Amino acid sequence: MTESKKTPSSTAAFWRNWRGLGGWNFYFLIKFALLWFGYLNFHALTNLVFLAWLLFPLPSLRLHRLRSWISLPLGFALFWHDTWLPGPESIISQGGQLAGFSGAYLLDLVNRFINWQMVGAAFVMLVLYLFISQWVRITVLVSLLLIWINIINLAGPAVSLLPTKSATPDVVLNNKTPANNAAADKNALDESAPPTSANLTAYLNRFYQTEKQRVTQFPTTLSPDSQPFDILVINICSLAWSDIDAVQLRDHPLWKHFDILLSNYNSATGYSGPAGIRLLRASCGQTSHSDLYKPADRQCYLFDNLAKLGFKEQLMMDHTGVFGNYLKELRVDGGLQAPLMSQAGITPELTSFDGSPVYNDAQLMQRWLDDRTKSNDARTATFYNVIPLHDGTRNLGTTGTAPYKPRAQLLFDQLDTFLTNLEKSGRQVLVIMVPEHGAAVVGDKMQMSGLRDIPSPGITHVPVGVRFVGMKAPHQGQPLTVDTPTSLLAISELISRVVDGQVFNAANVNMSVLTENLPQTPVVSENDNAIVMMYQGKPWIRLNGGDWVPYPQ
């Protein structure tokens, strides 16, 4: 009898301990607003668990306050987890490089990170919340809304509340294969399965398995009638189609120099070191990011293949190569052991984000041409890395980042002049301009301008230009555009087809035949903790080994 009388009283006391969310209501309202506009990778169930933790009735006011203090770091970590910001692994891996940034560049990044429009919108939401909460139980509305989001989101961890349109350039989404390139599509992967997280992971695994079987077949020796020529690979940091469009430089005279333009090329990464390694290992299929730092078969190393055929390896850069151990990675993981061409007497043109000089590219390219004129080497293969377009680069004597367009205009002018002088010199040179990755001049909902932690299509979709300087066949004036999806293996294959130099002596060269059936590669891009790939014509992303979600547009 005594126990039955205590039960109603205990139940009433339990219900009196419900205290609501209080200020945490505003926390969830901010998340709902960001989710509505597509700025969050929202983990609905995790947030519901956190809400339940905050609401669970506690009999002691002291315990309630202790829970509030414990919830502050938990709430911050969950908010970070719900954003597209780099995870702890990425921050730790890049932390050593951050120490090398100049103070002015770090301040510039902080200023870009703060979206003052969002700060203003959050302040307005706070005022409205404080005003409305006087009459409305906001906790009930927040709880119901979060439960509703979980109900409609049972199929996965992320939700999009609004219909979206693709922000990926049309050429990236173009999966159509011209009839004359049908044979090149033999490595195409089946994309008929629904885009579930399991199916996308299986597709990625099939991609890497298929890529392991692909290799460029170079001749073992050159025929006696081979024509000596030079190969100059100009590896440009921070140049994508999206950047070119942002600064309106598609009509620059530079593009008219090229014989071939790979317009649907994927650089496969958003960072310089991995980009350099991938390019130097272009003779084999695309590997995962982690495999870049493991030994590869010698037949994978593009410049090693050329060295075996008598091409002298050369290395040229307009910077020191110290930051991020870039030069070391080229040698250890890229297999390029050529000494760095002297920069003595070259005028510093800009200051890099880490305070080191960026040398004048016009003078460096002229030095290369002068050296080739004087040299007795019949064949050379030069890897030339340039960084004046890198984020944070500034004019000499200034502290703020120089505008991207003047730097791009200057580099394009210098390349245009160099190619003109090269054509006048009479030398026979295969020039391949291939960017490392884009600059992210225009940010998106996942990353602010300049950030490349996530290799989005706008960052990895880069222009590749090929020019045969010194051919007997006249230059057509407009490049042949190859629209099929290509990547690094296509460059190696193209070089292998002309390595005997006979293309320079031919009276007529059909560029369509020369580029026929170039290896096609599905769009898969990877940094240390992020993978972005195209599936069924749409970009998908996986962060830190988690589930796949549609790339937010």
Side-chain angles (χ1 to χ4, degrees):
M1 295 294 294
T2 305
E3 291 181 0
S4 62
K5 290 180 179 179
K6 287 183 178 181
T7 300
S9 176
S10 301
T11 302
F14 177 82
W15 284 104
R16 282 197 298 270
N17 290 324
W18 291 99
R19 293 184 172 87
L21 291 173
W24 288 102
N25 279 309
F26 183 66
Y27 170 88
F28 286 105
L29 289 173
I30 287 291
K31 280 192 172 183
F32 294 155
L34 292 173
L35 175 61
W36 178 265
F37 291 104
Y39 285 100
L40 286 187
N41 179 29
F42 193 70
H43 297 78
L45 181 58
T46 307
N47 278 270
L48 187 61
V49 171
F50 185 57
L51 180 136
W53 154 261
L54 294 169
L55 281 178
F56 189 83
L58 296 175
S60 168
L61 182 60
R62 180 177 298 177
L63 288 177
H64 177 75
R65 290 173 177 171
L66 178 61
R67 177 176 61 185
S68 297
W69 283 107
I70 295 175
S71 298
L72 287 175
L74 293 177
F76 177 81
L78 179 56
F79 206 123
W80 191 285
H81 183 54
D82 280 337
T83 69
W84 299 107
L85 295 171
E89 302 90 346
S90 178
I91 293 175
I92 292 173
S93 65
Q94 301 294 328
Q97 296 191 16
L98 287 175
F101 290 175
S102 66
Y105 183 44
L106 287 173
L107 183 62
D108 183 31
L109 290 176
V110 171
N111 185 55
R112 269 188 269 168
F113 180 79
I114 301 174
N115 188 320
W116 293 107
Q117 288 184 333
M118 285 190 176
V119 172
F123 176 72
V124 172
M125 285 185 61
L126 177 62
V127 173
L128 290 174
Y129 161 71
L130 293 175
F131 180 72
I132 296 174
S133 62
Q134 298 177 84
W135 303 284
V136 179
R137 293 181 65 86
I138 304 297
T139 296
V140 176
L141 296 178
V142 167
S143 300
L144 290 175
L145 183 56
L146 190 50
I147 291 172
W148 175 72
I149 291 175
N150 273 269
I151 291 174
I152 67 172
N153 193 48
L154 294 176
V159 62
S160 176
L161 297 179
L162 286 177
T164 59
K165 65 178 183 178
S166 173
T168 308
D170 291 339
V171 68
V172 175
L173 301 178
N174 180 15
N175 290 327
K176 296 179 180 179
T177 304
N180 64 341
N181 279 287
D185 203 30
K186 62 183 179 181
N187 291 295
L189 300 177
D190 179 30
E191 298 183 19
S192 60
T196 64
S197 194
N199 288 340
L200 290 169
T201 299
Y203 175 86
L204 179 67
N205 292 335
R206 290 197 305 272
F207 168 79
Y208 283 132
Q209 287 298 323
T210 301
E211 291 298 297
K212 287 180 179 179
Q213 304 169 19
R214 307 176 77 187
V215 61
T216 303
Q217 298 296 331
F218 279 84
T220 54
T221 59
L222 294 179
S223 61
D225 61 346
S226 296
Q227 174 65 36
F229 69 102
D230 299 310
I231 299 174
L232 175 60
V233 178
I234 305 177
N235 194 212
I236 302 176
C237 176
S238 303
L239 180 67
W241 283 117
S242 60
D243 306 318
I244 295 169
D245 289 336
V247 297
Q248 300 177 339
L249 286 177
R250 278 210 187 221
D251 295 327
H252 193 281
L254 170 65
W255 305 111
K256 296 181 180 180
H257 283 281
F258 297 115
D259 297 304
I260 301 167
L261 189 62
L262 304 182
S263 64
N264 203 359
Y265 182 94
N266 181 50
S267 68
T269 183
Y271 282 126
S272 297
I277 298 170
R278 288 190 183 279
L279 183 54
L280 291 173
R281 293 186 180 186
S283 294
C284 286
Q286 186 173 321
T287 67
S288 65
H289 177 85
S290 59
D291 284 349
L292 292 177
Y293 300 95
K294 300 175 182 177
D297 193 293
R298 292 313 305 177
Q299 64 181 342
C300 297
Y301 295 89
L302 174 60
F303 277 66
D304 195 42
N305 290 328
L306 293 172
K308 292 175 182 178
L309 296 175
F311 287 82
K312 180 183 178 181
E313 296 180 333
Q314 294 185 325
L315 173 63
M316 185 166 62
M317 299 190 303
D318 63 2
H319 56 104
T320 62
V322 173
F323 183 83
N325 294 317
Y326 177 77
L327 181 56
K328 181 180 178 181
E329 289 191 356
L330 293 186
R331 300 202 187 287
V332 175
D333 302 303
L336 184 60
Q337 305 302 326
L340 179 62
M341 187 176 293
S342 174
Q343 299 164 339
I346 303 297
T347 305
E349 186 173 63
L350 297 162
T351 301
S352 182
F353 56 90
D354 64 344
S356 63
V358 179
Y359 296 101
N360 186 292
D361 285 292
Q363 295 179 14
L364 281 168
M365 288 185 285
Q366 186 60 46
R367 172 170 291 183
W368 177 88
L369 181 55
D370 292 341
D371 288 350
R372 288 302 301 126
T373 303
K374 300 173 185 176
S375 173
N376 294 323
D377 296 315
R379 299 175 175 86
T380 64
T382 304
F383 182 88
Y384 177 33
N385 185 252
V386 297
I387 67 165
L389 304 185
H390 193 289
D391 190 58
T393 302
R394 56 188 188 269
N395 294 319
L396 297 177
T398 64
T399 57
T401 299
Y404 184 87
K405 182 172 184 177
R407 286 183 284 140
Q409 178 77 49
L410 176 60
L411 180 61
F412 283 18
D413 290 345
Q414 291 173 333
L415 289 169
D416 178 39
T417 300
F418 168 71
L419 289 174
T420 300
N421 293 337
L422 192 58
E423 291 159 5
K424 294 178 180 178
S425 71
R427 297 201 62 82
Q428 295 178 326
V429 184
L430 169 58
V431 179
I432 303 177
M433 187 192 80
V434 50
E436 298 175 348
H437 51 71
V441 170
V442 179
D444 58 24
K445 290 183 178 180
M446 293 194 68
Q447 298 182 113
M448 67 180 186
S449 172
L451 192 63
R452 292 173 281 104
D453 196 70
I454 296 171
S456 66
I459 292 173
T460 63
H461 178 218
V462 301
V464 173
V466 179
R467 178 62 197 271
F468 297 93
V469 179
M471 284 198 308
K472 289 184 178 180
H475 174 57
Q476 299 300 314
Q478 292 292 337
L480 170 73
T481 301
V482 178
D483 291 327
T484 52
T486 55
S487 193
L488 299 128
L489 194 64
I491 291 179
S492 177
E493 175 65 24
L494 187 60
I495 292 175
S496 71
R497 294 180 181 184
V498 300
V499 74
D500 62 0
Q502 292 295 345
V503 67
F504 290 95
N505 292 332
N508 293 288
V509 177
N510 189 328
M511 294 296 168
S512 297
V513 174
L514 184 60
T515 58
E516 188 175 14
N517 298 335
L518 278 179
Q520 296 183 34
T521 303
V523 177
V524 176
S525 304
E526 185 176 1
N527 283 350
D528 192 14
N529 298 296
I531 302 177
V532 178
M533 69 180 184
M534 300 296 297
Y535 188 82
Q536 295 181 350
K538 297 179 180 179
W540 294 80
I541 177 172
R542 186 176 75 180
L543 294 176
N544 302 310
D547 290 315
W548 291 93
V549 296
Y551 193 94
Q553 308 295 335

